[in-house]
Amino acid sequence: MVYSKVDEPAQFVGGTSEMGKFIAMNISYPQVVGFCDFYSGTRIYARFIVLKDGSISDISIIRGIEDCGECGEEVIRLVKSMPNWIPAKVNGQPVNSFFNLPVRFHPQ
């Protein structure tokens, strides 16, 4: 069973700020002509399951960048490379849960 509503949501170890650092240090922007000008600031939304052991599975892109499949592929690669998370809890017990993650593209 995978929960959409939980008492305590799953979280990246260290919280949102650590996740932001992880993304910034590990994202590789696709080499697409005009990428920096056209896609800067655009968000890609990934959805995945954080299992009760903290591992991540079933990663998919629920909203990507039209004409940039490489961007979605990069977000999937990035999520796959994340360390285990702190799982969601229901009634104090770890459970499998969905997580939606927006990844903002802002190449420098």
Side-chain angles (χ1 to χ4, degrees):
M1 171 174 256
V2 181
Y3 289 80
S4 294
K5 294 186 180 190
V6 295
D7 299 334
E8 296 175 41
Q11 65 177 320
F12 190 87
V13 174
T16 305
S17 64
E18 287 301 312
M19 182 171 49
K21 290 176 190 175
F22 178 88
I23 290 171
M25 289 176 44
N26 292 283
I27 196 163
S28 294
Y29 295 106
Q31 299 300 312
V32 177
V33 174
F35 179 86
C36 293
D37 296 331
F38 190 74
Y39 295 118
S40 185
T42 304
R43 286 189 175 94
I44 291 180
Y45 292 82
R47 183 176 188 163
F48 51 91
I49 298 172
V50 178
L51 299 174
K52 59 185 171 184
D53 68 1
S55 61
I56 295 171
S57 73
D58 299 337
I59 306 162
S60 62
I61 300 300
I62 56 175
R63 190 168 88 197
I65 299 174
E66 193 173 322
D67 301 328
C68 188
E70 298 94 340
C71 298
E73 291 171 12
E74 173 55 18
V75 170
I76 289 172
R77 185 205 63 79
L78 180 70
V79 173
K80 282 181 179 179
S81 73
M82 289 181 167
N84 283 2
W85 285 42
I86 299 169
K89 292 185 180 176
V90 172
N91 295 324
Q93 298 299 313
V95 296
N96 302 327
S97 66
F98 289 108
F99 194 90
N100 293 333
L101 176 66
V103 176
R104 185 173 162 191
F105 275 69
H106 49 85
Q108 312 242 337

